Amino acid sequence: MHLISYDIQDDALRLQLAKLLIQFGLHRIQYSVFMGRLKTSRLPKLQKALQHLQTEKRWHSEDSIMLLPLHQYSEDNLEFIGPLPDRWLEITEKIHTLIL
Amino acid sequence: MHLISYDIQDDALRLQLAKLLIQFGLHRIQYSVFMGRLKTSRLPKLQKALQHLQTEKRWHSEDSIMLLPLHQYSEDNLEFIGPLPDRWLEITEKIHTLIL
């Protein structure tokens, strides 16, 4: 599981990043926070794509993207206050546990 | 180490939350993402304070706060694209490793 959060000033660049993350199968958890499981083979592609964003002229010097690999410990102890994001069980794959 | 991210619509409530997180010794990493080490004894107090925010009349039904305990694995493999947050070494406590 990975968590990706960002601060991107330019609206179009932010939208481009959000679309990229969705293409990679990640899910929007909060406005600027995405989460999901990335296939090992796809991680280097995503890392390259994220690093490439820095070269865009719409990238501001204060912009940032954080890519955080999560351990099972984080998933097991995560606390969410407020309505759970859409497809939360699918994201965390707890649905398998619930169905079996 | 904990990561806390939030989506809060009301400006004043969002500011109140940011101040609370700073009081608890957490550091702003991105606009709506904080990180830092919480003493075990203070964690339940923070959890209570966060849950209490939901009872505020300025809390919107779509608002959310995520509290994520991080494993050393996440810290060791974190990638940050863009300028590192202020006092980054202090936050991750890598400064001790560098000095020794």
Side-chain angles (χ1 to χ4, degrees):
Chain A
M1 184 86 112
H2 279 80
L3 177 146
I4 290 168
S5 64
Y6 54 76
D7 266 352
I8 305 278
Q9 275 187 47
D10 184 88
D11 292 344
L13 188 62
R14 197 167 57 244
L15 186 63
Q16 184 183 325
L17 173 53
K19 282 184 178 170
L20 179 77
L21 298 175
I22 290 165
Q23 271 172 22
F24 272 84
L26 297 165
H27 305 270
R28 189 166 234 154
I29 300 300
Q30 286 172 330
Y31 184 68
S32 63
V33 180
F34 283 71
M35 210 184 266
R37 293 184 200 280
L38 281 164
K39 287 190 187 147
T40 315
S41 62
R42 299 207 76 196
L43 179 60
K45 282 176 198 157
L46 178 59
Q47 286 167 316
K48 264 196 184 170
L50 296 180
Q51 278 154 12
H52 185 72
L53 283 180
Q54 283 186 101
T55 65
E56 296 260 355
K57 67 173 184 216
R58 293 171 302 176
W59 177 275
H60 285 243
S61 59
E62 312 81 29
D63 287 353
S64 71
I65 306 171
M66 182 167 68
L67 176 62
L68 195 64
L70 297 181
H71 187 274
Q72 187 64 41
Y73 167 77
S74 297
E75 289 179 55
D76 294 344
N77 293 285
L78 182 155
E79 276 183 62
F80 205 90
I81 295 167
L84 286 174
D86 287 346
R87 301 158 71 202
W88 180 251
L89 291 179
E90 190 186 325
I91 298 167
T92 57
E93 290 181 8
K94 281 188 183 147
I95 196 159
H96 300 307
T97 318
L98 291 174
I99 286 174
L100 290 174
Chain B
M1 183 85 112
H2 279 79
L3 177 146
I4 290 168
S5 64
Y6 52 78
D7 266 353
I8 304 278
Q9 274 186 49
D10 185 88
D11 293 342
L13 188 62
R14 197 168 55 244
L15 186 63
Q16 184 184 324
L17 173 53
K19 282 184 180 171
L20 178 78
L21 297 176
I22 289 165
Q23 271 172 22
F24 272 85
L26 296 165
H27 305 269
R28 188 166 234 155
I29 301 299
Q30 287 173 329
Y31 184 68
S32 63
V33 180
F34 284 70
M35 210 183 264
R37 292 186 200 280
L38 282 164
K39 285 189 188 148
T40 315
S41 62
R42 299 206 77 195
L43 180 58
K45 281 176 197 154
L46 177 59
Q47 286 168 315
K48 264 196 184 167
L50 295 180
Q51 278 154 11
H52 185 73
L53 284 181
Q54 285 184 102
T55 65
E56 296 260 355
K57 67 174 182 215
R58 293 170 303 174
W59 177 275
H60 286 243
S61 59
E62 312 81 28
D63 286 353
S64 70
I65 305 171
M66 181 166 69
L67 176 61
L68 194 65
L70 297 181
H71 188 273
Q72 188 64 42
Y73 168 77
S74 296
E75 290 180 55
D76 293 343
N77 293 286
L78 181 153
E79 276 184 62
F80 205 89
I81 295 167
L84 287 174
D86 288 347
R87 302 159 69 204
W88 180 251
L89 290 180
E90 189 187 325
I91 298 166
T92 57
E93 289 180 11
K94 283 190 181 146
I95 196 159
H96 300 307
T97 318
L98 291 173
I99 287 173
L100 291 174

